[in-house]
Every structure is written in structure tokens, then in C-alpha cells.
Amino acid sequence: GESVGLHLPTLSVQEGDNSIINCAYSNSASDYFIWYKQESGKGPQFIIDIRSNMDKRQGQRVTVLLNKTVKHLSLQIAATQPGDSAVYFCAENKDGGATNKLIFGTGTLLAVQP
Amino acid sequence: ETGVTQSPTHLIKTRGQQVTLRCSSQSGHNTVSWYQQALGQGPQFIFQYYREEENGRGNFPPRFSGLQFPNYSSELNVNALELDDSALYLCATTAPRLDTHNEQFFGPGTRLTVL
């Protein structure tokens, strides 16, 4: 299928290694952040979210870190697997939940080498 | 799978034509948002519908319009198609809000090509 990863920053990791994907967000007033995974030919899939009153949240094999001082968000994937290969987007909500409007980053292509 | 379906999956139109894209959500998901995703970029918010009314819009011209029906399904209409409208169009639905933010469930998208 057609790739959405053309011209995107690429992170290449070995299977079993940990992956860290970084994102800078734009609005200090944003209070909700989400990481999405998008495989070729599919819509974005929710991975994990975090609210601005937290600096860390853990899920299954994934951890999101939020640094509001430098407006930086990161996604850590433990023991990366071939099925993790996809484009990863961070997204922010800027309007305090008044709408579901999400502002997406440019995306990072994660390539897992067997 | 998210339970959100979109039709058609692919569509080819010519410049100046009009197009209607459709989205059906999970039962009870009463908010729907539409996004445009150009190749190699992140999705961009077009607008949101809640209780059959538009209640949020991104930087898109009026030729992008929408509808939400009583069963919460939705349409995106684009008039006077331009070449730059070629993109993947995504809809995302949300359950009735229990908290300030609820998870959005994305459909697989409709790939629109304008020639």
C-alpha cells in the first residue's frame, strides 16, 4: 500500500531494542497530548495519552514523558518488535477540551530491523 | 479495529467536481471530526460535528462542508475540487464526554485523488 512515511524523519532500531521518539509541541496552553501509530493504508491508532498535570504515564510497553518547560513530548517503546514499524504522530489539544480538535506533528517513521 | 467505517475507500475525481465522503461510527459516538492528511504529513483538522451542528473548524475554506445525521453518521462534502485536495480524508469519532478529553477513534480513511 501507499506509505504515509515519505520524506519523514526516520528512526531505525534493532528488534528487541528500546525506541525513543521525540516531539516538540507549539502551544504552552495545550493541556492534552496523544501519541498515535499509523500503519500504511490505515487510520491513526491511539497508543497513549497524557494530560498537562502529569509528566509521565506508562502503558503496556510504552511510556510517554512530558516536559512542559521545554514543550517536549517523547514516546518510549520497550523491546521494539517488527509489528511496531509504522509512522508515529504526536498530537495536542489546544482548546481545553472545548472541541476534539487535535494538532498533529509531522510524524516519525519507525523502522524495526529483524 | 476501531468500529469506524468510511466509504468509499478510494475515489478519483477531476478538478472542479464535487465529492461526498461518508463516515459511520460506533454506536453512541455522538461527536465526529474530519481530518485531511496529505502524503507525508500529519492529519489536519477540518471541522467537528456534535448533535448535528458544526462546533469547531480548522483553516479550510467554505467549500468544505459537512453533515451529521441523527444516527451520528456523517458526510464530508467538498465542492469545486482542486488538485491540492488530493489527500487521505479521515473521520474520528468520540463517545459522549465523560471527562474533558475522550479518546478519538479513527476510521481507515478515504483516499481522494483529484486529476
Side-chain angles (χ1 to χ4, degrees):
Chain A
E2 188 173 66
S3 169
V4 294
L6 297 176
H7 310 300
L8 291 173
T10 300
L11 175 64
S12 185
V13 300
Q14 291 294 126
E15 181 179 357
D17 287 352
N18 296 333
S19 302
I20 300 176
I21 302 172
N22 296 303
C23 176
Y25 62 93
S26 56
N27 192 328
S28 57
S30 293
D31 63 346
Y32 180 58
F33 306 88
I34 315 99
W35 280 99
Y36 284 95
K37 171 187 180 182
Q38 187 172 27
E39 297 173 284
S40 184
K42 296 184 178 181
Q45 175 189 355
F46 174 93
I47 301 174
I48 192 168
D49 60 1
I50 189 168
R51 300 174 193 274
S52 58
N53 61 352
M54 304 172 69
D55 54 20
K56 181 179 180 179
R57 191 163 186 225
Q58 289 184 293
Q60 187 177 16
R61 278 202 309 121
V62 294
T63 301
V64 56
L65 298 177
L66 175 63
N67 185 330
K68 294 182 286 295
T69 302
V70 295
K71 293 189 285 187
H72 183 267
L73 196 66
S74 69
L75 176 69
Q76 300 177 2
I77 304 174
T80 313
Q81 302 168 1
D84 295 327
S85 294
V87 178
Y88 288 80
F89 292 98
C90 65
E92 60 184 301
N93 180 275
K94 296 182 178 182
D95 61 5
T99 73
N100 289 333
K101 176 181 179 179
L102 295 176
I103 308 298
F104 281 80
T106 54
T108 297
L109 175 62
L110 176 64
V112 182
Q113 309 301 323
Chain B
E1 299 301 323
T2 64
V4 180
T5 59
Q6 292 188 243
S7 62
T9 54
H10 295 84
L11 197 57
I12 299 175
K13 291 284 190 178
T14 57
R15 198 170 42 182
Q17 285 188 310
Q18 179 267 342
V19 69
T20 297
L21 310 181
R22 295 178 175 83
C23 172
S24 293
S25 66
Q26 297 184 50
S27 176
H29 280 209
N30 60 2
T31 304
V32 63
S33 302
W34 285 91
Y35 291 81
Q36 180 195 67
Q37 185 175 25
L39 194 62
Q41 298 181 23
Q44 288 197 306
F45 178 81
I46 303 174
F47 45 53
Q48 174 181 304
Y49 276 80
Y50 173 66
R51 291 185 174 178
E52 303 176 48
E53 291 191 359
E54 183 182 303
N55 76 333
R57 191 176 184 95
N59 295 324
F60 282 82
R63 60 189 185 84
F64 286 78
S65 63
L67 285 173
Q68 187 183 30
F69 300 99
N71 66 353
Y72 305 140
S73 66
S74 177
E75 287 182 355
L76 165 65
N77 299 290
V78 187
N79 294 323
L81 283 167
E82 301 176 0
L83 297 180
D84 285 349
D85 296 334
S86 294
L88 181 69
Y89 287 85
L90 298 158
C91 74
T93 69
T94 312
R97 187 167 292 172
L98 301 175
D99 196 348
T100 309
H101 299 285
N102 278 8
E103 179 180 342
Q104 294 189 53
F105 296 87
F106 281 84
T110 293
R111 170 69 62 187
L112 173 65
T113 302
V114 182
L115 302 177

